[in-house]
Amino acid sequence: MVATDTRRAGAPTRTRPGPGGSWPALRRRIWRDRYLLLLISPVILYYAVFHYGPMLGAVIAFKDYSPGLGVFGSPWVGFANFVEFFNSFYFERLIRNTLLLSLYSLLWGFPVPIIFALLLNELRGKLLKRAAQTISYLPHFISVVVIAGMLVTFLAPADGIVNNLRALLGFERIDFMSNPDYFRSVYIVSGIWQEFGWGAIIYLAALAGIDPHLYDAADVDGAKRWQKVLYITLPSLVPVMVILLILNSGNLMVVGFEKVLLLYNPAVYETADVIQTYVYRRGIVSSDYSFAAAIGLFNSVINLALLLIVNRIARRVSETSLW
């Protein structure tokens, strides 16, 4: 007996929900992983409510938003807010300050955790190693407000510890916080000091995963300590370094808003005013919500473009990329 297909031509067929199989199979997998899904549900809810939900409000960047009319009741203005920002007197200054602060922070701050992790990895005394790790991690847990207060106090021109030391050595006192030439240095150096210990954690984890037999083989071949670092340790860190570099490149147009806001003043706007602080002044202080939303949307698009470009370059140059 020959089996025949009893389905009629044109009869609707039940579609599969995806590559995983039929709906009953999907329900079984959901029931099987119910506890894992329940565990991750708060994170999903957080991102849905506080990250993806507010994206709907980005539409006000193309409107003349009025709180009385609401988001969808306000009149459309198209790209007028973007054109106003591009033609603004502050456009060039904001882009320059944001990029310079980000690039300098990346240029000087990116290698420091790597060097620190390599130095810690070479320490033989466990007590000294743990003490160094603990001391270096502590600044990360200090609030940005406290850090800014410490900087203002230490760099005060009259009685700050830095200026007191300069006066003791015969140098003149400097008002660091009111001099635009020093703002970038203060911002970058304080940021490196606060984050280099915490940033070294991931590199220490990568170092712990290196096969110790590689070092044993290097010892047999007579390799010196610096040769093992150069030919074993550093190449093992390259994938982690590339991934972190890609992630950092996606934040080139994002500067620590809170820290800049707490440290800057009108006297240093020339080098300190960045896109985020300008958005704050126009959007919150001046209540120009549509204009501020347009600037924020422009900033996000540039960050996304930079992330895609750097990831593509990393994939072409090396075998490591985000996707």
Side-chain angles (χ1 to χ4, degrees), residues 55-104:
M55 290 175 65
L56 297 175
V59 70
I60 69 174
F62 306 94
K63 293 192 170 191
D64 183 12
Y65 174 70
S66 172
L69 297 176
V71 174
F72 300 102
S74 300
W76 291 92
V77 296
F79 292 94
N81 292 315
F82 296 91
V83 174
E84 181 183 353
F85 175 57
F86 297 151
N87 295 329
S88 172
F89 172 78
Y90 303 106
F91 176 75
E92 183 180 350
R93 185 182 74 181
L94 295 172
I95 298 297
R96 182 181 66 251
N97 291 341
T98 303
L99 283 177
L100 286 180
L101 279 178
S102 296
L103 288 174
Y104 287 159

Side-chain angles (χ1 to χ4, degrees), residues 2 13 83 91 98 121 129 144-145 214 229 238 254 263 265 275:
V2 179
T13 58
V83 174
F91 176 75
T98 303
N121 189 58
K129 185 175 182 178
V144 177
V145 178
L214 295 176
V229 171
V238 168
V254 178
L263 292 178
N265 56 74
I275 292 177

Side-chain angles (χ1 to χ4, degrees), residues 4 9 24 28 54 77 84 91 107 122 142 161 189 206 258 271 273:
T4 59
R28 286 194 300 269
V77 296
E84 181 183 353
F91 176 75
L107 177 64
E122 294 300 317
I142 302 176
I161 185 173
V189 172
E258 299 88 350
T271 58
D273 197 20

Side-chain angles (χ1 to χ4, degrees), residues 8 23 43 52 59 73 117 132 155 171 209 229 239 250 296 301 305 308 322:
R8 294 175 300 171
W23 285 110
V43 178
Y52 289 97
V59 70
L155 300 176
F171 298 100
V229 171
V301 171
L308 295 175
L322 292 179

